[in-house]
Coordinates of all heavy atoms in Angstrom, one line a residue:
L227 N 11.1 -25.0 -13.2 CA 11.0 -25.2 -14.7 C 10.2 -26.4 -15.1 O 9.4 -26.4 -16.0 CB 12.4 -25.3 -15.3 CG 13.2 -24.0 -15.3 CD1 14.6 -24.3 -15.7 CD2 12.6 -23.0 -16.3
F228 N 10.4 -27.5 -14.3 CA 9.7 -28.8 -14.6 C 8.2 -28.6 -14.5 O 7.4 -29.1 -15.3 CB 10.2 -29.9 -13.7 CG 9.5 -31.2 -13.9 CD1 9.8 -32.0 -15.0 CD2 8.5 -31.6 -13.0 CE1 9.1 -33.2 -15.2 CE2 7.8 -32.8 -13.2 CZ 8.1 -33.6 -14.3
H229 N 7.8 -27.9 -13.4 CA 6.3 -27.8 -13.1 C 5.7 -26.7 -14.0 O 4.5 -26.7 -14.3 CB 6.1 -27.4 -11.7 CG 6.3 -28.6 -10.8 ND1 7.5 -28.8 -10.1 CD2 5.5 -29.7 -10.5 CE1 7.4 -29.9 -9.4 NE2 6.2 -30.5 -9.6
N230 N 6.4 -25.7 -14.4 CA 5.8 -24.5 -15.0 C 6.1 -24.3 -16.5 O 5.6 -23.4 -17.2 CB 6.3 -23.2 -14.3 CG 5.8 -23.2 -12.9 OD1 4.6 -23.3 -12.6 ND2 6.7 -23.0 -12.0
L231 N 6.9 -25.2 -17.1 CA 7.2 -25.1 -18.5 C 6.0 -25.1 -19.4 O 5.9 -24.3 -20.3 CB 8.2 -26.2 -18.9 CG 9.0 -26.0 -20.2 CD1 9.8 -24.7 -20.2 CD2 9.9 -27.1 -20.5
P232 N 5.0 -26.0 -19.2 CA 3.8 -25.9 -20.0 C 3.1 -24.6 -20.0 O 2.6 -24.1 -21.0 CB 2.9 -27.0 -19.4 CG 3.9 -28.0 -18.8 CD 5.0 -27.1 -18.2
G233 N 3.0 -24.0 -18.8 CA 2.3 -22.7 -18.6 C 3.1 -21.6 -19.3 O 2.5 -20.6 -19.7
L234 N 4.4 -21.7 -19.4 CA 5.2 -20.6 -20.0 C 4.9 -20.5 -21.5 O 5.2 -19.5 -22.1 CB 6.7 -20.9 -19.8 CG 7.2 -20.7 -18.4 CD1 8.6 -21.2 -18.2 CD2 7.0 -19.3 -17.9
I235 N 4.3 -21.5 -22.1 CA 4.0 -21.5 -23.6 C 3.1 -20.4 -23.9 O 3.2 -19.7 -24.9 CB 3.4 -22.9 -24.0 CG1 4.5 -24.0 -23.8 CG2 3.0 -22.8 -25.4 CD1 4.0 -25.4 -24.1
N236 N 2.1 -20.1 -22.9 CA 1.1 -19.1 -23.2 C 1.5 -17.7 -22.6 O 0.6 -16.9 -22.4 CB -0.3 -19.5 -22.6 CG -0.8 -20.7 -23.3 OD1 -0.7 -20.8 -24.5 ND2 -1.4 -21.7 -22.6
F237 N 2.7 -17.6 -22.2 CA 3.2 -16.4 -21.4 C 2.9 -15.2 -22.2 O 2.3 -14.2 -21.7 CB 4.6 -16.5 -21.1 CG 5.2 -15.3 -20.3 CD1 5.0 -15.3 -19.0 CD2 5.8 -14.3 -21.0 CE1 5.5 -14.2 -18.3 CE2 6.2 -13.2 -20.3 CZ 6.1 -13.1 -18.9
K238 N 3.3 -15.1 -23.5 CA 3.1 -13.9 -24.3 C 1.7 -13.5 -24.4 O 1.3 -12.3 -24.3 CB 3.8 -14.1 -25.6 CG 3.9 -12.8 -26.5 CD 4.7 -13.0 -27.7 CE 4.8 -11.8 -28.5 NZ 5.6 -12.0 -29.8
R239 N 0.8 -14.5 -24.7 CA -0.6 -14.2 -24.9 C -1.2 -13.6 -23.6 O -1.9 -12.7 -23.6 CB -1.4 -15.4 -25.3 CG -2.9 -15.2 -25.4 CD -3.6 -16.5 -25.6 NE -5.1 -16.3 -25.6 CZ -5.8 -16.3 -24.5 NH1 -5.3 -16.4 -23.3 NH2 -7.1 -16.1 -24.6
T240 N -0.8 -14.3 -22.5 CA -1.4 -13.8 -21.2 C -0.9 -12.5 -20.8 O -1.6 -11.6 -20.3 CB -1.0 -14.9 -20.1 OG1 -1.4 -16.2 -20.5 CG2 -1.7 -14.5 -18.8
Q241 N 0.4 -12.2 -21.0 CA 1.0 -10.9 -20.7 C 0.3 -9.8 -21.5 O 0.2 -8.7 -21.0 CB 2.5 -11.0 -21.0 CG 3.3 -9.7 -20.7 CD 3.4 -9.5 -19.2 OE1 3.3 -10.4 -18.4 NE2 3.6 -8.2 -18.8
A242 N -0.1 -10.1 -22.7 CA -0.7 -9.1 -23.6 C -2.0 -8.6 -23.0 O -2.5 -7.5 -23.3 CB -1.0 -9.7 -25.0
L243 N -2.6 -9.4 -22.1 CA -3.9 -9.0 -21.4 C -3.7 -7.8 -20.5 O -4.7 -7.2 -20.0 CB -4.5 -10.1 -20.7 CG -5.0 -11.3 -21.6 CD1 -5.6 -12.4 -20.7 CD2 -6.0 -10.8 -22.6
L244 N -2.4 -7.4 -20.2 CA -2.2 -6.2 -19.4 C -2.6 -5.0 -20.2 O -2.8 -3.9 -19.6 CB -0.7 -6.2 -19.1 CG -0.2 -5.2 -18.0 CD1 -0.9 -5.5 -16.7 CD2 1.3 -5.2 -17.9
E245 N -2.7 -5.1 -21.5 CA -3.0 -4.0 -22.4 C -4.5 -3.9 -22.7 O -5.0 -2.9 -23.3 CB -2.2 -4.0 -23.7 CG -0.7 -4.1 -23.5 CD -0.2 -2.8 -22.9 OE1 -0.8 -1.8 -23.1 OE2 0.9 -2.9 -22.3
V246 N -5.3 -4.9 -22.2 CA -6.7 -4.9 -22.5 C -7.5 -4.6 -21.3 O -7.4 -5.3 -20.3 CB -7.1 -6.4 -23.0 CG1 -8.6 -6.4 -23.4 CG2 -6.2 -6.8 -24.2
P247 N -8.4 -3.6 -21.3 CA -9.2 -3.2 -20.2 C -10.1 -4.4 -19.8 O -10.6 -5.1 -20.7 CB -10.0 -2.0 -20.7 CG -9.2 -1.4 -21.8 CD -8.5 -2.6 -22.5
L248 N -10.3 -4.6 -18.6 CA -11.2 -5.7 -18.1 C -12.6 -5.6 -18.7 O -13.1 -6.7 -19.2 CB -11.3 -5.7 -16.6 CG -12.2 -6.8 -16.0 CD1 -11.7 -8.2 -16.3 CD2 -12.3 -6.6 -14.4
T249 N -13.2 -4.5 -18.8 CA -14.5 -4.3 -19.3 C -14.6 -4.7 -20.8 O -15.5 -5.4 -21.2 CB -15.0 -2.9 -19.1 OG1 -14.1 -2.0 -19.6 CG2 -15.3 -2.6 -17.6
S250 N -13.5 -4.4 -21.5 CA -13.5 -4.7 -23.0 C -13.4 -6.2 -23.1 O -14.0 -6.8 -24.0 CB -12.3 -4.0 -23.7 OG -12.4 -2.6 -23.6
F251 N -12.5 -6.9 -22.3 CA -12.4 -8.3 -22.4 C -13.6 -9.0 -22.0 O -14.0 -10.0 -22.7 CB -11.2 -8.7 -21.4 CG -10.8 -10.2 -21.6 CD1 -10.0 -10.6 -22.6 CD2 -11.3 -11.1 -20.7 CE1 -9.6 -11.9 -22.8 CE2 -10.9 -12.5 -20.8 CZ -10.1 -12.8 -21.9
L252 N -14.3 -8.6 -21.0 CA -15.6 -9.2 -20.5 C -16.6 -9.1 -21.6 O -17.4 -10.0 -21.9 CB -16.1 -8.5 -19.3 CG -15.3 -8.7 -18.0 CD1 -15.9 -7.9 -16.8 CD2 -15.2 -10.2 -17.6
S253 N -16.6 -8.0 -22.4 CA -17.6 -7.8 -23.4 C -17.4 -8.7 -24.6 O -18.4 -8.9 -25.4 CB -17.5 -6.3 -23.9 OG -17.8 -5.4 -22.9
R254 N -16.3 -9.4 -24.7 CA -16.1 -10.3 -25.8 C -17.0 -11.6 -25.6 O -17.3 -12.2 -26.5 CB -14.6 -10.8 -25.8 CG -13.6 -9.7 -26.2 CD -12.2 -10.2 -26.1 NE -11.2 -9.2 -26.3 CZ -9.9 -9.4 -26.3 NH1 -9.4 -10.7 -26.1 NH2 -9.0 -8.5 -26.5
Y255 N -17.3 -11.9 -24.3 CA -18.0 -13.1 -24.0 C -19.3 -12.9 -23.3 O -20.1 -13.9 -23.3 CB -17.1 -14.0 -23.1 CG -15.7 -14.2 -23.6 CD1 -14.6 -13.5 -23.1 CD2 -15.5 -15.1 -24.7 CE1 -13.3 -13.6 -23.6 CE2 -14.2 -15.2 -25.2 CZ -13.1 -14.5 -24.7 OH -11.9 -14.7 -25.2
L256 N -19.6 -11.7 -22.8 CA -20.8 -11.4 -22.1 C -21.6 -10.3 -22.8 O -21.0 -9.4 -23.3 CB -20.6 -11.0 -20.7 CG -19.7 -12.0 -19.8 CD1 -19.4 -11.4 -18.5 CD2 -20.5 -13.4 -19.7
S257 N -22.9 -10.4 -22.8 CA -23.7 -9.4 -23.5 C -24.6 -8.6 -22.5 O -25.1 -7.6 -22.8 CB -24.6 -10.0 -24.5 OG -25.5 -11.0 -23.9
N258 N -24.6 -9.1 -21.2 CA -25.5 -8.4 -20.2 C -24.7 -7.4 -19.5 O -23.7 -7.7 -18.8 CB -26.0 -9.5 -19.2 CG -27.0 -8.9 -18.3 OD1 -26.8 -7.9 -17.6 ND2 -28.2 -9.5 -18.2
P259 N -25.0 -6.1 -19.6 CA -24.2 -5.0 -19.0 C -24.2 -5.1 -17.5 O -23.2 -4.7 -16.8 CB -24.9 -3.7 -19.5 CG -26.3 -4.2 -19.9 CD -26.2 -5.6 -20.4
D260 N -25.3 -5.6 -16.9 CA -25.3 -5.7 -15.4 C -24.2 -6.7 -15.0 O -23.5 -6.4 -14.0 CB -26.7 -6.2 -14.9 CG -27.8 -5.2 -15.1 OD1 -27.5 -4.0 -15.3 OD2 -29.0 -5.5 -14.9
L261 N -24.1 -7.8 -15.6 CA -23.1 -8.8 -15.3 C -21.7 -8.3 -15.5 O -20.8 -8.5 -14.6 CB -23.3 -10.1 -16.1 CG -22.3 -11.2 -15.8 CD1 -22.3 -11.6 -14.4 CD2 -22.7 -12.4 -16.7
I262 N -21.5 -7.6 -16.6 CA -20.2 -7.0 -16.8 C -19.8 -6.0 -15.7 O -18.7 -6.0 -15.2 CB -20.2 -6.2 -18.2 CG1 -20.3 -7.3 -19.3 CG2 -18.9 -5.4 -18.3 CD1 -20.4 -6.7 -20.7
R263 N -20.8 -5.2 -15.2 CA -20.5 -4.3 -14.1 C -20.2 -5.0 -12.8 O -19.3 -4.6 -12.1 CB -21.7 -3.3 -14.0 CG -21.9 -2.3 -15.1 CD -22.8 -1.2 -14.7 NE -24.2 -1.7 -14.7 CZ -25.0 -1.6 -15.7 NH1 -24.6 -1.1 -16.8 NH2 -26.3 -2.1 -15.6
V264 N -21.0 -6.1 -12.6 CA -20.7 -6.8 -11.3 C -19.3 -7.4 -11.3 O -18.6 -7.4 -10.3 CB -21.8 -8.0 -11.2 CG1 -21.4 -9.0 -10.1 CG2 -23.1 -7.4 -10.9
L265 N -18.8 -7.9 -12.5 CA -17.5 -8.5 -12.5 C -16.4 -7.5 -12.6 O -15.2 -7.8 -12.4 CB -17.4 -9.4 -13.8 CG -18.2 -10.7 -13.6 CD1 -18.2 -11.5 -15.0 CD2 -17.5 -11.6 -12.6
S266 N -16.7 -6.2 -12.8 CA -15.6 -5.3 -13.0 C -15.5 -4.1 -12.0 O -14.5 -3.5 -11.8 CB -15.7 -4.6 -14.4 OG -16.9 -3.9 -14.6
Q267 N -16.6 -3.9 -11.3 CA -16.7 -2.7 -10.5 C -16.1 -2.8 -9.1 O -16.1 -1.8 -8.3 CB -18.1 -2.1 -10.5 CG -18.5 -1.5 -11.8 CD -19.9 -1.0 -11.8 OE1 -20.7 -1.2 -10.9 NE2 -20.2 -0.2 -12.9
L268 N -15.6 -4.0 -8.7 CA -14.9 -4.1 -7.5 C -13.5 -3.5 -7.6 O -12.8 -3.2 -6.6 CB -14.7 -5.6 -7.1 CG -15.8 -6.1 -6.2 CD1 -15.6 -7.6 -5.9 CD2 -15.9 -5.4 -4.8
Y269 N -13.0 -3.3 -8.8 CA -11.6 -2.9 -9.1 C -11.5 -1.5 -9.5 O -12.5 -0.8 -9.8 CB -11.0 -3.8 -10.2 CG -11.3 -5.3 -9.9 CD1 -12.1 -6.0 -10.8 CD2 -10.8 -5.9 -8.8 CE1 -12.4 -7.4 -10.6 CE2 -11.1 -7.3 -8.6 CZ -11.9 -8.0 -9.5 OH -12.1 -9.3 -9.3
F270 N -10.3 -1.0 -9.5 CA -10.0 0.4 -10.0 C -10.5 0.6 -11.4 O -10.4 -0.4 -12.2 CB -8.5 0.7 -9.9 CG -8.0 0.6 -8.5 CD1 -7.1 -0.4 -8.1 CD2 -8.3 1.5 -7.5 CE1 -6.5 -0.5 -6.8 CE2 -7.8 1.5 -6.2 CZ -6.9 0.5 -5.9
G271 N -10.9 1.8 -11.7 CA -11.3 2.1 -13.1 C -10.1 1.9 -14.1 O -9.0 2.3 -13.8
G272 N -10.4 1.2 -15.2 CA -9.4 0.9 -16.2 C -8.5 -0.3 -15.9 O -7.6 -0.6 -16.6
T273 N -8.9 -1.1 -14.9 CA -8.1 -2.3 -14.5 C -8.0 -3.2 -15.7 O -8.9 -3.5 -16.4 CB -8.9 -3.1 -13.4 OG1 -8.7 -2.3 -12.2 CG2 -8.3 -4.4 -13.2
P274 N -6.8 -3.6 -16.0 CA -6.5 -4.5 -17.2 C -7.1 -5.9 -16.9 O -7.3 -6.4 -15.7 CB -5.0 -4.6 -17.3 CG -4.5 -4.3 -15.9 CD -5.5 -3.3 -15.3
A275 N -7.4 -6.6 -18.0 CA -8.0 -8.0 -17.9 C -7.1 -8.9 -17.1 O -7.5 -9.7 -16.3 CB -8.3 -8.5 -19.2
L276 N -5.8 -8.8 -17.3 CA -4.8 -9.7 -16.6 C -5.0 -9.5 -15.1 O -4.9 -10.5 -14.4 CB -3.4 -9.3 -17.1 CG -2.3 -10.1 -16.4 CD1 -2.4 -11.6 -16.8 CD2 -0.9 -9.6 -16.8
F277 N -5.2 -8.3 -14.7 CA -5.2 -8.0 -13.2 C -6.6 -8.4 -12.7 O -6.7 -9.1 -11.6 CB -5.0 -6.5 -13.0 CG -4.6 -6.2 -11.6 CD1 -3.4 -6.7 -11.1 CD2 -5.3 -5.4 -10.8 CE1 -3.0 -6.4 -9.8 CE2 -5.0 -5.0 -9.5 CZ -3.8 -5.5 -9.0
G278 N -7.7 -8.0 -13.4 CA -9.0 -8.3 -12.9 C -9.3 -9.8 -12.8 O -9.8 -10.3 -11.8
L279 N -9.0 -10.5 -13.9 CA -9.3 -12.0 -13.8 C -8.3 -12.7 -13.0 O -8.6 -13.8 -12.4 CB -9.3 -12.5 -15.3 CG -10.5 -12.0 -16.2 CD1 -10.3 -12.6 -17.6 CD2 -11.8 -12.5 -15.6
G280 N -7.1 -12.2 -12.8 CA -6.1 -12.8 -12.0 C -6.4 -12.7 -10.5 O -5.8 -13.4 -9.7
Y281 N -7.3 -11.8 -10.2 CA -7.7 -11.7 -8.7 C -8.3 -12.9 -8.1 O -8.2 -13.1 -6.9 CB -8.6 -10.5 -8.5 CG -8.0 -9.4 -7.7 CD1 -7.3 -8.3 -8.3 CD2 -7.9 -9.5 -6.3 CE1 -6.7 -7.3 -7.6 CE2 -7.3 -8.5 -5.6 CZ -6.7 -7.4 -6.2 OH -6.1 -6.4 -5.5
S282 N -8.8 -13.8 -8.9 CA -9.3 -15.1 -8.4 C -8.2 -15.9 -7.7 O -8.4 -16.6 -6.7 CB -9.9 -15.9 -9.5 OG -9.0 -16.2 -10.5
K283 N -6.9 -15.7 -8.1 CA -5.8 -16.3 -7.5 C -5.3 -15.4 -6.3 O -5.0 -15.9 -5.2 CB -4.6 -16.4 -8.5 CG -3.3 -17.0 -7.9 CD -3.5 -18.4 -7.5 CE -2.2 -19.0 -6.9 NZ -2.3 -20.4 -6.5
I284 N -5.3 -14.1 -6.5 CA -4.9 -13.2 -5.4 C -5.8 -13.3 -4.2 O -5.3 -13.2 -3.1 CB -4.8 -11.8 -6.0 CG1 -3.8 -11.7 -7.1 CG2 -4.5 -10.8 -4.9 CD1 -3.8 -10.3 -7.8
Y285 N -7.1 -13.5 -4.4 CA -8.0 -13.7 -3.2 C -7.5 -14.8 -2.3 O -7.8 -14.8 -1.1 CB -9.4 -14.0 -3.7 CG -10.1 -12.8 -4.3 CD1 -10.9 -12.9 -5.4 CD2 -10.0 -11.5 -3.7 CE1 -11.6 -11.8 -6.0 CE2 -10.7 -10.4 -4.3 CZ -11.5 -10.6 -5.4 OH -12.1 -9.5 -6.0
L286 N -6.9 -15.8 -2.9 CA -6.4 -16.9 -2.1 C -5.0 -16.7 -1.5 O -4.5 -17.6 -0.8 CB -6.4 -18.2 -3.0 CG -7.7 -18.5 -3.7 CD1 -7.5 -19.8 -4.6 CD2 -8.8 -18.7 -2.7
D287 N -4.5 -15.5 -1.7 CA -3.1 -15.2 -1.4 C -3.0 -14.1 -0.3 O -1.9 -13.5 -0.1 CB -2.3 -14.9 -2.6 CG -0.8 -14.8 -2.4 OD1 -0.2 -15.7 -1.7 OD2 -0.2 -13.8 -2.9
Y288 N -4.1 -13.8 0.3 CA -4.1 -12.7 1.3 C -3.6 -13.1 2.6 O -3.9 -14.2 3.1 CB -5.5 -12.2 1.5 CG -5.9 -11.1 0.5 CD1 -5.1 -10.7 -0.5 CD2 -7.1 -10.4 0.6 CE1 -5.4 -9.7 -1.4 CE2 -7.5 -9.4 -0.3 CZ -6.6 -9.1 -1.3 OH -7.0 -8.1 -2.2
Y289 N -2.8 -12.2 3.2 CA -2.2 -12.4 4.5 C -2.5 -11.2 5.4 O -2.8 -10.1 5.0 CB -0.7 -12.6 4.5 CG -0.3 -13.9 3.9 CD1 -0.2 -14.2 2.5 CD2 0.1 -15.0 4.7 CE1 0.2 -15.4 2.0 CE2 0.5 -16.2 4.2 CZ 0.5 -16.4 2.9 OH 0.9 -17.6 2.4
Y290 N -2.5 -11.5 6.7 CA -2.7 -10.5 7.7 C -1.7 -10.6 8.9 O -1.6 -11.7 9.4 CB -4.1 -10.6 8.3 CG -4.6 -9.4 9.1 CD1 -5.0 -8.2 8.5 CD2 -4.4 -9.4 10.5 CE1 -5.4 -7.1 9.3 CE2 -4.8 -8.3 11.3 CZ -5.3 -7.2 10.7 OH -5.7 -6.1 11.4

Side-chain angles (χ1 to χ4, degrees):
L227 287 170
F228 178 79
H229 287 99
N230 295 305
L231 199 56
L234 290 173
I235 296 173
N236 295 318
F237 180 85
K238 189 173 181 179
R239 175 188 178 275
T240 305
Q241 182 69 23
L243 294 179
L244 192 63
E245 303 295 331
V246 182
L248 176 61
T249 50
S250 299
F251 189 79
L252 294 175
S253 298
R254 296 178 185 177
Y255 307 103
L256 304 174
S257 59
N258 188 303
D260 289 348
L261 178 55
I262 292 172
R263 287 193 289 268
V264 167
L265 284 171
S266 63
Q267 289 180 348
L268 269 177
Y269 312 116
F270 298 112
T273 288
L276 179 63
F277 200 63
L279 293 177
Y281 244 95
S282 59
K283 177 67 177 179
I284 296 172
Y285 287 138
L286 307 179
D287 191 43
Y288 270 7
Y289 286 82
Y290 190 83

